[in-house]
Amino acid sequence: MEIPLSGPDITDLEIQAVLNVLKTPYLSLGPKLPEFEKKIAEYAGVKHAVVVSSGTAALHLIVRSLGLGKADEVITTPFSFIASANCLIYEKAKPVFVDIHPDTYNINVTKIEEKITDKTRAIIAVDVFGLMADWDALGRIAEKHDLFLIEDSCESLGAEYQARKAGSFGQAGCFAFYPNKQITTGEGGVIVTDDDQIARLAKSMRNQGRDENAGWLQHQRLGYNYRLSDINCALGIAQLKRIDEILAKRDKVAQMYNEKLKNMKDLKLPVDLPGSKRSWFVYVVHLTEKYSKMDRDSILDKLRKAGIGCSDYFSPIHLQPFYIELFGYKKGDFPVTEFTSERTIALPFFNNLSEKQIDYIVSALKKIL
Ligand SMILES: *Cc1c(COP(=O)(O)O)cnc(C)c1O
């Protein structure tokens, strides 16, 4: 049996939506862009959505719209996808890492204040693996120290914290639409915000710095080509129409894993948080302390040999070669992140993963352990 790590869930609805755009002359900057934006904003419960070419581009434009740059420090987590820290380096701002909580894998809010200096201007918190960060505490800290708060909600579309949707915390949030995310546009991303200024600047900067209604060769500020085509937007609209069904399918897959793995003493399973609703992005289990990184890597190897797609989400950002070179980070700097990342296993996770496939994965994992 061959089971991939992840995969998109594309139906006739999506295929028809894309074909329909191809029959019009509006392949980019057409009507599907504002339609997708309106629907995303409604879904996240925010005033504005600005669709861009990736989640990374969304983060970059949030950082630029807030004017973060040289000499600024921004607090964030080393246990994330690289983009949540790279977006600062693009603007020469310094990511200042704070270690994670050992159970939620989200930034440890009790360790933030000791890292705040007179250069700190913002916090980027990530809803890791679709589990909401501690937004109450983050909001309090940001307010007390007069910091911007940015939500990297690229993994948490549809998640909720105290009945409020992911993406709506802080000055701005963002979603990503690569094919392994909850919904996909192939490539794509979006900034979600209630802030008129951030929305206006992000719209201009994704389109080469043009202001609204300005001529094609009229550039008000430094911009980029971070546009998303109407073909991608149509795909996104169709996926978003199915979001409830998609999230329910993912929840069902996760609950099957939870049930079938619950008696395995060598594994720590994903946690639930009271007052939060997780939106399942990946299904990640954690080996207990008696396993080393080498043991974990050999387990990944054996799973792959059995045809099972798997991964070591995440490899710590501070230990990536160019972060070591730029900032001098070393092993031991963020022990909880390192301990966690040495022992995690992301198992195959996608909407249409069948019970039979899950049984095969669980029995292979049991045999290997
Ligand atoms: C997926 C993801 C992004 C953005 O990814 P793109 O590939 O640029 O769309 C950003 N942050 C996190 C935490 C992510 O998981």
Side-chain angles (χ1 to χ4, degrees):
M1 203 181 300
E2 283 287 332
I3 308 172
L5 177 58
S6 76
D9 178 6
I10 301 296
T11 66
D12 281 343
L13 185 76
E14 285 85 348
I15 293 168
Q16 269 316 316
V18 166
L19 289 178
N20 287 342
V21 174
L22 291 174
K23 291 172 191 162
T24 75
Y26 306 112
L27 301 192
S28 192
L29 295 175
K32 292 295 165 191
L33 173 69
E35 186 185 338
F36 188 33
E37 290 181 330
K38 184 160 174 277
K39 292 194 162 138
I40 288 277
E42 273 168 18
Y43 184 74
V46 297
K47 198 166 159 195
H48 305 282
V50 181
V51 162
V52 291
S53 52
S54 70
T56 306
L59 282 164
H60 184 203
L61 292 190
I62 292 170
V63 166
R64 271 192 73 89
S65 298
L66 292 172
L68 300 172
K70 216 169 163 200
D72 294 334
E73 292 180 0
V74 177
I75 291 190
T76 189
T77 169
F79 189 73
S80 178
F81 183 60
I82 188 95
S84 60
N86 277 357
C87 62
L88 298 166
I89 298 183
Y90 298 152
E91 295 303 317
K92 310 243 178 329
K94 185 180 177 197
V96 173
F97 294 118
V98 168
D99 212 348
I100 56 168
H101 188 282
D103 297 325
T104 66
Y105 311 149
N106 280 323
I107 193 165
N108 189 335
V109 291
T110 66
K111 293 185 175 168
I112 290 178
E113 284 189 289
E114 64 199 58
K115 293 289 185 77
I116 293 176
T117 71
D118 50 10
K119 290 182 177 164
T120 310
R121 290 199 53 213
I123 302 172
I124 300 180
V126 183
D127 303 319
V128 172
F129 303 153
L131 186 69
M132 296 300 283
D134 187 348
W135 289 102
D136 262 352
L138 289 163
R140 275 198 303 273
I141 295 167
E143 187 164 9
K144 180 173 159 197
H145 297 274
D146 196 19
L147 306 175
F148 294 125
L149 195 50
I150 299 168
E151 182 180 7
D152 181 344
S153 39
C154 283
E155 301 188 353
S156 59
L157 180 70
E160 287 175 22
Y161 180 85
Q162 294 169 7
R164 204 168 125 195
K165 281 262 173 62
S168 66
F169 296 86
Q171 271 70 40
C174 52
F175 300 115
F177 304 127
Y178 186 73
N180 69 341
K181 307 282 174 173
Q182 282 89 341
I183 69 170
T184 187
T185 58
E187 293 282 358
V190 64
I191 296 150
V192 282
T193 184
D194 284 328
D195 187 304
D196 298 341
Q197 169 90 343
I198 293 175
R200 186 177 64 79
L201 288 173
K203 274 187 181 173
S204 167
M205 288 190 284
R206 79 167 164 200
N207 190 21
Q208 303 287 13
R210 296 174 181 113
D211 267 338
E212 214 174 354
N213 304 322
W216 192 251
L217 297 178
Q218 201 73 46
H219 308 278
Q220 198 61 36
R221 57 186 61 77
L222 176 65
Y224 306 85
N225 179 356
Y226 282 170
R227 296 186 301 263
L228 192 70
S229 86
D230 270 42
I231 305 167
N232 304 83
C233 289
L235 179 50
I237 293 166
Q239 287 258 285
L240 194 58
K241 251 185 213 149
R242 296 177 50 228
I243 184 82
D244 291 342
E245 172 207 336
I246 286 172
L247 295 184
K249 277 178 165 180
R250 297 175 86 82
D251 195 55
K252 191 171 153 221
V253 170
Q255 299 315 330
M256 274 196 276
Y257 266 131
N258 280 343
E259 187 54 37
K260 291 173 196 287
L261 292 172
K262 72 177 180 203
N263 292 323
M264 288 182 70
K265 284 190 289 296
D266 291 346
L267 295 183
K268 206 171 96 183
L269 302 185
V271 298
D272 256 339
L273 280 183
S276 272
K277 192 180 112 200
R278 185 196 284 265
S279 168
W280 291 93
F281 166 54
V282 285
Y283 191 87
V284 174
V285 296
H286 188 295
L287 295 161
T288 51
E289 193 156 4
K290 74 174 191 196
Y291 291 88
S292 67
K293 178 177 192 301
M294 256 169 60
D295 296 332
R296 192 277 311 271
D297 291 344
S298 120
I299 295 166
L300 289 176
D301 244 16
K302 287 176 183 151
L303 284 169
R304 287 184 188 126
K305 287 210 175 83
I308 297 167
C310 53
S311 187
D312 58 346
Y313 290 170
F314 290 111
S315 181
I317 296 177
H318 68 283
L319 297 179
Q320 300 299 326
F322 73 105
Y323 275 77
I324 292 175
E325 200 176 302
L326 273 173
F327 303 107
Y329 287 120
K330 57 189 187 312
K331 236 174 149 345
D333 283 346
F334 302 99
V336 184
T337 292
E338 291 166 31
F339 181 86
T340 302
S341 76
E342 286 171 358
R343 286 169 185 78
T344 46
I345 299 175
L347 295 172
F349 190 75
F350 47 92
N351 297 359
N352 295 318
L353 190 62
S354 69
E355 179 155 18
K356 205 171 130 218
Q357 288 172 312
I358 293 178
D359 284 336
Y360 175 77
I361 296 159
V362 169
S363 97
L365 190 57
K366 276 187 177 152
K367 232 178 281 164
I368 294 166
L369 291 180

